Amino acid sequence: NENGEVVGIASQLDGAGWVVGEGGIRAKDGVPLSFTLRAEATDDAARVTRSLQQQWRALGEDVHVEMQESDEFDTTINSHDYDALLHGISIGPDPDVY
């Protein structure tokens, strides 16, 4: 049950000292629970990052999404310059590539 998982994660965050504060964002010792999610600027990645951002926000996490063009995204990957990264391989409309 997805709702049960969210409640479980929220309980774990509470237990670890990440309490919901002003604006619904969790904080611990005055530091907000916030990070940047970087992804390549594609339609699919934009849809997924919006969904992830909404799900993390429901838990009280402030997620900043940064969509990057292909060259910049490659540099980000190679330099390991990210808090979180959405990266995937699209195999096209036919899932059976063999």
Side-chain angles (χ1 to χ4, degrees):
N1 174 329
E2 184 177 310
N3 191 38
E5 289 176 29
V6 170
V7 170
I9 294 169
S11 294
Q12 289 177 348
L13 289 167
D14 290 338
W18 291 99
V19 296
V20 177
E22 190 173 320
I25 300 299
R26 292 179 179 274
K28 182 177 182 178
D29 300 327
V31 178
L33 184 51
S34 175
F35 65 94
T36 300
L37 171 63
R38 293 194 172 130
E40 189 170 7
T42 66
D43 291 341
D44 287 341
R47 280 192 297 275
V48 171
T49 56
R50 276 192 303 272
S51 177
L52 289 171
Q53 187 178 38
Q54 290 170 351
Q55 292 173 50
W56 277 318
R57 182 65 175 89
L59 290 168
E61 299 177 45
D62 186 21
V63 180
H64 304 277
V65 173
E66 185 177 306
M67 303 302 290
Q68 298 179 326
E69 295 303 322
S70 184
D71 291 345
E72 183 182 13
F73 190 64
D74 288 342
T75 300
T76 294
I77 292 170
N78 292 331
S79 66
H80 302 274
D81 182 24
Y82 51 84
D83 297 329
L85 183 78
L86 176 68
H87 182 50
I89 298 171
S90 175
I91 59 172
D94 183 4
D96 185 6
V97 295
Y98 295 102

